[in-house]
Amino acid sequence: MTKIDDVARLAGVSTATVSRALRGLPTVSAATRRRVLAAAEQLQYAVSPSASRLAGGRTGSVAVVVPRITRWFFGVVVEAVEDFLHEAGYDLLLHNLGGRERNRQRLLRTAALHKRVDAIMLVATPLRAAEMSALAALDLPGVTISSGTEVPGWPCVRIDDVAAARTATRHLLELGHRRIAHISGDPDDELAFSAHLDRRRGYQEALRAAGLRPDPALDVESSFDIDGGTRATEELLRRGDPPTAIFASCDEMAMGALTALREAGLRVPQDVSVIGIDDHALSGVLGLSTIAQPAAEQGRLAAKMLLDPLAGRSPEAGMSTTAAPVILPTRLVVRESTAPARAH
């Protein structure tokens, strides 16, 4: 196997000069560079990409931090980010917090990222003051995805969760529903995922705009997944006087609601309408009405915003790296799970 020493010997220069010539640094004369390139070609010497990056002070890796990789939204975002990074010659270093506080502390309060990555992407991972300081000490570029995850000086890509929830609730109101329940994530979640708080706010704003007072008995918290949606809906039904419609903070919770309603002998949408947020891959199969959000596009755009500064490129129009977030649009998708309220 050819080594850099062999190239240096054939070209009649030092190994340091070979390294500088092959990396394209301006400190090597044109004649010397041609001699080194000719020697490398003759010996079929290939530069190790990882070694070249390290020599240039780069790792070629980007850390992506997610609360739970098993959730649909995070999986779609990570896949889109990974595709974009690979096309640009970067590797993705995934940090899945797995819903555990100790994983978060180990990642954000130690040297887990020091000298291992060139940049950091936080996906729906709000930071505490001490964690902000730890990230600032790393002095790395970064980007965030999702509301409540903003870091001073980092660009942010997200949807408007409040507006999405208003649209979902308004759709049910326009169908004539008045007893509209809301099932959402647990505010005591260790990782402080906050999108569900904005979605509750949007739900309540839509009710008040229609002249309705939000009823605490129709608002149930649980985990932000299918099982959580099932448990929350079962709790709603135990309280008596069931709602005629349910707005779930995410499609996975809505799927759990569909399960609980079916097991209780209630028909969707004849007895209870159900709507979520996401446009999960299975939502179309289940006939679930939803507010579609561009999960993959959020990942691709965030990756581009992260890599442009590393490559020395200026942000494109509309992609500012200032504190103002880039908000992508959502849209109402009406399927079979919502219908006009029945007269009682």
Side-chain angles (χ1 to χ4, degrees):
M1 181 178 178
T2 303
K3 299 180 179 179
I4 193 171
D5 306 64
D6 302 321
V7 177
R9 202 160 28 248
L10 181 59
V13 296
S14 68
T15 55
T17 299
V18 171
S19 176
R20 289 195 297 271
L22 294 179
R23 285 157 52 203
L25 298 182
T27 52
V28 180
S29 70
T32 300
R33 191 185 313 280
R34 285 195 296 270
R35 198 160 70 248
V36 169
L37 291 175
E41 182 177 2
Q42 180 180 334
L43 296 174
Q44 297 183 327
Y45 174 72
V47 181
S48 164
S50 59
S52 178
R53 288 194 295 256
L54 288 171
R58 293 281 181 87
T59 67
S61 297
V62 170
V64 178
V65 183
V66 299
R68 295 177 179 84
I69 192 59
T70 55
R71 303 287 170 78
W72 173 83
F73 175 78
F74 303 126
V76 171
V77 167
V78 168
E79 182 178 22
V81 170
E82 186 172 34
D83 287 345
F84 192 96
L85 292 180
H86 281 180
E87 288 179 6
Y90 280 80
D91 295 323
L92 183 150
L93 182 61
L94 178 65
H95 289 274
N96 175 34
L97 302 183
R100 290 183 286 275
E101 175 66 18
R102 64 178 180 275
N103 290 351
R104 176 187 182 124
Q105 292 178 355
R106 184 163 56 247
L107 173 65
L108 297 174
R109 294 187 180 178
T110 70
L113 300 175
H114 184 57
K115 293 185 179 181
R116 297 185 63 192
V117 297
D118 297 326
I120 303 170
M121 179 183 296
L122 296 178
V123 184
T125 308
L127 299 180
R128 305 176 183 110
E131 294 164 346
M132 289 275 197
S133 299
L135 278 186
L138 291 174
D139 195 26
L140 292 173
V143 66
T144 68
I145 297 178
S146 186
S147 59
T149 315
E150 291 84 353
V151 174
W154 287 12
C156 175
V157 181
R158 63 178 179 86
I159 64 169
D160 186 334
D161 288 289
V162 176
R166 275 200 305 261
T167 300
T169 308
R170 190 180 302 124
H171 169 63
L172 298 173
L173 289 165
E174 290 172 351
L175 290 173
H177 294 281
R178 291 299 178 266
R179 283 191 59 76
I180 301 172
H182 174 234
I183 57 176
S184 66
D186 183 357
D188 295 326
D189 187 305
E190 282 187 340
L191 298 179
F193 178 58
S194 62
H196 60 280
L197 300 178
D198 287 335
R199 294 175 188 180
R200 172 181 285 113
R201 178 179 149 201
Y203 156 77
Q204 293 176 343
E205 287 181 0
L207 291 181
R208 291 191 179 102
L212 300 175
R213 179 179 298 177
D215 183 352
L218 293 176
D219 197 337
V220 180
E221 298 166 348
S222 189
S223 57
F224 216 62
D225 53 23
I226 294 175
D227 288 343
T230 300
R231 291 192 299 270
T233 304
E234 290 171 345
E235 173 60 26
L236 275 174
L237 298 179
R238 276 194 294 270
R239 294 178 180 182
D241 195 10
T244 64
I246 296 175
F247 160 51
S249 277
C250 68
D251 279 1
E252 288 176 78
M253 293 194 81
M255 293 173 191
L258 294 177
T259 299
L261 292 169
R262 183 180 64 247
E263 292 179 351
L266 294 171
R267 301 167 300 165
V268 176
Q270 293 91 337
D271 299 318
V272 182
S273 287
V274 178
I275 190 170
I277 291 181
D278 277 336
D279 204 18
H280 187 289
L282 294 178
S283 295
V285 177
L286 297 173
L288 178 65
S289 293
T290 188
I291 305 298
Q293 67 163 316
E297 180 59 22
Q298 289 177 72
R300 284 190 293 266
L301 182 55
K304 178 171 177 53
M305 295 171 77
L306 194 61
L307 293 190
D308 276 352
L310 292 177
R313 294 189 294 265
S314 299
E316 295 180 5
M319 291 175 55
S320 171
T321 57
T322 63
V326 175
I327 299 177
L328 298 185
T330 57
R331 60 187 175 88
L332 172 65
V333 180
V334 179
R335 298 192 177 103
E336 294 82 6
S337 69
T338 52
R342 292 192 306 168
H344 291 281

